[in-house]
Amino acid sequence: GENVEQHPSTLSVQEGDSAVIKCTYSDSASNYFPWYKQELGKGPQLIIDIRSNVGEKKDQRIAVTLNKTAKHFSLHITETQPEDSAVYFCAATSNSGGYQKVTFGTGTKLQVIP
Amino acid sequence: EAGVAQSPRYKIIEKRQSVAFWCNPISGHATLYWYQQILGQGPKLLIQFQNNGVVDDSQLPKDRFSAERLKGVDSTLKIQPAKLEDSAVYLCASSITGGRDTQYFGPGTRLTVL
């Protein structure tokens, strides 16, 4: 089955700096890579996603890059703000028996220091 | 648009007792997921329903866990009997088709087994 590794497990940055979270996946057939943000006491919420036919996608301060050859993808947050503090999960989606199966990474706890 | 609803939000039980969780997905969403999230880890898929049929329950401990989705809408997840290692947050999510579309998560039920 799919295996997703995520690094780092914790990340502290000063407000205004950039944050980068990296993930690798094992199944070359994976074709959809969402990123989720989970705040304390809440369920994960999708913040950005990228499909396998695209190398980069940007949405305001958030961008995601995908390297299919190396099987890794990254989340970039620029001009970080205190409200960006949360746990971030990457995920890889592959076809399993005709349905898409999502495998999550282990999470990165981001702390933005004011 | 109402989100995914879950109840209860918190539950504390003794080991060997039984417990049930309830989920009401977003109206019109065909796919429903139950995840187990142990503290400090990413969500792990337990079971995935497409309408009222199971499409993936490969990681569901079937000797103690069961789930059903009545009439393709609400769902319940049951644990009987509970073990200490079942302490976790149980997340319910739904998506429109189960393909490469967004999963919307509920707030989760935090289970503590003593």
Short mmCIF file of all heavy atoms in Angstrom, two decimals, chain B residues 22-45:
data_model
loop_
_atom_site.label_atom_id
_atom_site.label_comp_id
_atom_site.label_asym_id
_atom_site.label_seq_id
_atom_site.Cartn_x
_atom_site.Cartn_y
_atom_site.Cartn_z
N TRP B 22 -21.74 8.61 16.14
CA TRP B 22 -22.69 8.92 15.07
C TRP B 22 -22.16 10.01 14.15
O TRP B 22 -21.47 10.93 14.61
CB TRP B 22 -24.02 9.35 15.70
CG TRP B 22 -25.04 9.83 14.73
CD1 TRP B 22 -25.87 9.08 13.95
CD2 TRP B 22 -25.36 11.20 14.41
NE1 TRP B 22 -26.68 9.88 13.19
CE2 TRP B 22 -26.39 11.19 13.46
CE3 TRP B 22 -24.86 12.43 14.86
CZ2 TRP B 22 -26.94 12.36 12.93
CZ3 TRP B 22 -25.40 13.59 14.36
CH2 TRP B 22 -26.43 13.54 13.39
N CYS B 23 -22.47 9.90 12.87
CA CYS B 23 -22.02 10.89 11.90
C CYS B 23 -23.14 11.19 10.92
O CYS B 23 -23.79 10.28 10.39
CB CYS B 23 -20.81 10.38 11.13
SG CYS B 23 -20.28 11.45 9.75
N ASN B 24 -23.34 12.48 10.66
CA ASN B 24 -24.28 12.93 9.64
C ASN B 24 -23.49 13.70 8.60
O ASN B 24 -23.00 14.80 8.89
CB ASN B 24 -25.37 13.80 10.26
CG ASN B 24 -26.37 14.27 9.22
OD1 ASN B 24 -26.66 15.45 9.08
ND2 ASN B 24 -26.91 13.33 8.48
N PRO B 25 -23.33 13.16 7.40
CA PRO B 25 -22.48 13.82 6.40
C PRO B 25 -23.20 15.01 5.76
O PRO B 25 -24.36 15.27 6.02
CB PRO B 25 -22.27 12.71 5.36
CG PRO B 25 -23.53 11.91 5.44
CD PRO B 25 -23.93 11.92 6.90
N ILE B 26 -22.48 15.70 4.92
CA ILE B 26 -23.07 16.81 4.17
C ILE B 26 -24.10 16.24 3.19
O ILE B 26 -23.85 15.21 2.55
CB ILE B 26 -21.98 17.61 3.43
CG1 ILE B 26 -21.07 18.31 4.44
CG2 ILE B 26 -22.58 18.61 2.45
CD1 ILE B 26 -19.87 19.00 3.83
N SER B 27 -25.23 16.90 3.11
CA SER B 27 -26.32 16.42 2.27
C SER B 27 -25.86 16.25 0.82
O SER B 27 -25.22 17.15 0.24
CB SER B 27 -27.48 17.42 2.32
OG SER B 27 -28.52 17.02 1.47
N GLY B 28 -26.18 15.10 0.26
CA GLY B 28 -25.83 14.85 -1.13
C GLY B 28 -24.48 14.20 -1.34
O GLY B 28 -24.15 13.81 -2.48
N HIS B 29 -23.69 14.06 -0.29
CA HIS B 29 -22.39 13.43 -0.43
C HIS B 29 -22.54 11.91 -0.42
O HIS B 29 -23.07 11.33 0.52
CB HIS B 29 -21.45 13.87 0.71
CG HIS B 29 -20.88 15.23 0.49
ND1 HIS B 29 -19.77 15.69 1.18
CD2 HIS B 29 -21.25 16.23 -0.34
CE1 HIS B 29 -19.48 16.91 0.77
NE2 HIS B 29 -20.38 17.27 -0.14
N ALA B 30 -22.04 11.28 -1.47
CA ALA B 30 -22.20 9.84 -1.62
C ALA B 30 -21.20 9.05 -0.79
O ALA B 30 -21.48 7.92 -0.39
CB ALA B 30 -22.06 9.45 -3.09
N THR B 31 -20.04 9.64 -0.54
CA THR B 31 -18.97 8.90 0.12
C THR B 31 -18.80 9.36 1.55
O THR B 31 -18.78 10.55 1.84
CB THR B 31 -17.65 9.08 -0.64
OG1 THR B 31 -17.87 8.77 -2.02
CG2 THR B 31 -16.59 8.12 -0.10
N LEU B 32 -18.67 8.39 2.44
CA LEU B 32 -18.48 8.67 3.86
C LEU B 32 -17.30 7.87 4.37
O LEU B 32 -17.14 6.69 4.02
CB LEU B 32 -19.75 8.32 4.65
CG LEU B 32 -19.77 8.69 6.14
CD1 LEU B 32 -21.20 9.07 6.56
CD2 LEU B 32 -19.25 7.57 7.01
N TYR B 33 -16.46 8.51 5.17
CA TYR B 33 -15.25 7.90 5.70
C TYR B 33 -15.23 7.98 7.23
O TYR B 33 -15.66 8.98 7.80
CB TYR B 33 -14.00 8.64 5.21
CG TYR B 33 -13.93 8.96 3.73
CD1 TYR B 33 -14.63 10.03 3.19
CD2 TYR B 33 -13.12 8.21 2.87
CE1 TYR B 33 -14.55 10.35 1.85
CE2 TYR B 33 -13.03 8.52 1.52
CZ TYR B 33 -13.75 9.59 1.02
OH TYR B 33 -13.65 9.89 -0.33
N TRP B 34 -14.71 6.95 7.84
CA TRP B 34 -14.38 6.99 9.26
C TRP B 34 -12.85 6.84 9.39
O TRP B 34 -12.27 5.91 8.83
CB TRP B 34 -15.04 5.87 10.04
CG TRP B 34 -16.49 6.08 10.35
CD1 TRP B 34 -17.58 5.53 9.74
CD2 TRP B 34 -17.02 6.90 11.41
NE1 TRP B 34 -18.74 5.95 10.33
CE2 TRP B 34 -18.43 6.79 11.37
CE3 TRP B 34 -16.45 7.72 12.40
CZ2 TRP B 34 -19.27 7.47 12.26
CZ3 TRP B 34 -17.28 8.38 13.28
CH2 TRP B 34 -18.67 8.26 13.21
N TYR B 35 -12.25 7.76 10.15
CA TYR B 35 -10.82 7.72 10.40
C TYR B 35 -10.56 7.61 11.90
O TYR B 35 -11.33 8.12 12.72
CB TYR B 35 -10.13 9.00 9.91
CG TYR B 35 -10.05 9.18 8.42
CD1 TYR B 35 -11.07 9.82 7.71
CD2 TYR B 35 -8.94 8.73 7.70
CE1 TYR B 35 -10.98 10.01 6.34
CE2 TYR B 35 -8.85 8.92 6.33
CZ TYR B 35 -9.88 9.56 5.65
OH TYR B 35 -9.79 9.74 4.29
N GLN B 36 -9.46 7.00 12.23
CA GLN B 36 -8.96 6.98 13.61
C GLN B 36 -7.69 7.84 13.65
O GLN B 36 -6.78 7.63 12.83
CB GLN B 36 -8.63 5.56 14.06
CG GLN B 36 -8.10 5.47 15.48
CD GLN B 36 -7.55 4.09 15.78
OE1 GLN B 36 -6.61 3.62 15.13
NE2 GLN B 36 -8.11 3.42 16.78
N GLN B 37 -7.66 8.81 14.56
CA GLN B 37 -6.47 9.65 14.69
C GLN B 37 -5.93 9.54 16.10
O GLN B 37 -6.49 10.12 17.04
CB GLN B 37 -6.78 11.11 14.33
CG GLN B 37 -5.54 11.99 14.31
CD GLN B 37 -5.81 13.42 13.88
OE1 GLN B 37 -6.92 13.93 14.01
NE2 GLN B 37 -4.79 14.08 13.33
N ILE B 38 -4.85 8.81 16.24
CA ILE B 38 -4.17 8.69 17.52
C ILE B 38 -3.33 9.94 17.73
O ILE B 38 -2.79 10.51 16.77
CB ILE B 38 -3.32 7.42 17.55
CG1 ILE B 38 -4.24 6.19 17.52
CG2 ILE B 38 -2.41 7.37 18.76
CD1 ILE B 38 -3.54 4.87 17.37
N LEU B 39 -3.22 10.38 18.97
CA LEU B 39 -2.52 11.61 19.30
C LEU B 39 -1.13 11.65 18.66
O LEU B 39 -0.35 10.72 18.81
CB LEU B 39 -2.41 11.74 20.82
CG LEU B 39 -1.84 13.06 21.34
CD1 LEU B 39 -2.78 14.21 20.99
CD2 LEU B 39 -1.61 12.99 22.84
N GLY B 40 -0.87 12.73 17.91
CA GLY B 40 0.44 12.91 17.28
C GLY B 40 0.60 12.22 15.96
O GLY B 40 1.69 12.23 15.38
N GLN B 41 -0.48 11.61 15.45
CA GLN B 41 -0.40 10.90 14.16
C GLN B 41 -1.41 11.46 13.17
O GLN B 41 -2.33 12.20 13.54
CB GLN B 41 -0.63 9.41 14.37
CG GLN B 41 0.40 8.75 15.28
CD GLN B 41 0.15 7.25 15.41
OE1 GLN B 41 -0.55 6.64 14.61
NE2 GLN B 41 0.74 6.65 16.43
N GLY B 42 -1.24 11.07 11.93
CA GLY B 42 -2.21 11.45 10.92
C GLY B 42 -3.43 10.55 10.97
O GLY B 42 -3.39 9.47 11.56
N PRO B 43 -4.52 10.97 10.38
CA PRO B 43 -5.72 10.13 10.34
C PRO B 43 -5.47 8.83 9.59
O PRO B 43 -4.81 8.83 8.55
CB PRO B 43 -6.74 11.01 9.59
CG PRO B 43 -6.24 12.41 9.73
CD PRO B 43 -4.75 12.28 9.74
N LYS B 44 -6.00 7.74 10.12
CA LYS B 44 -5.90 6.44 9.48
C LYS B 44 -7.29 5.99 9.10
O LYS B 44 -8.19 5.92 9.94
CB LYS B 44 -5.26 5.41 10.42
CG LYS B 44 -5.05 4.04 9.77
CD LYS B 44 -4.50 3.02 10.76
CE LYS B 44 -5.61 2.38 11.55
NZ LYS B 44 -5.15 1.23 12.37
N LEU B 45 -7.48 5.66 7.81
CA LEU B 45 -8.80 5.25 7.34
C LEU B 45 -9.21 3.93 7.97
O LEU B 45 -8.46 2.95 7.92
CB LEU B 45 -8.80 5.12 5.83
CG LEU B 45 -10.12 4.70 5.20
CD1 LEU B 45 -11.17 5.80 5.33
CD2 LEU B 45 -9.93 4.31 3.73
#
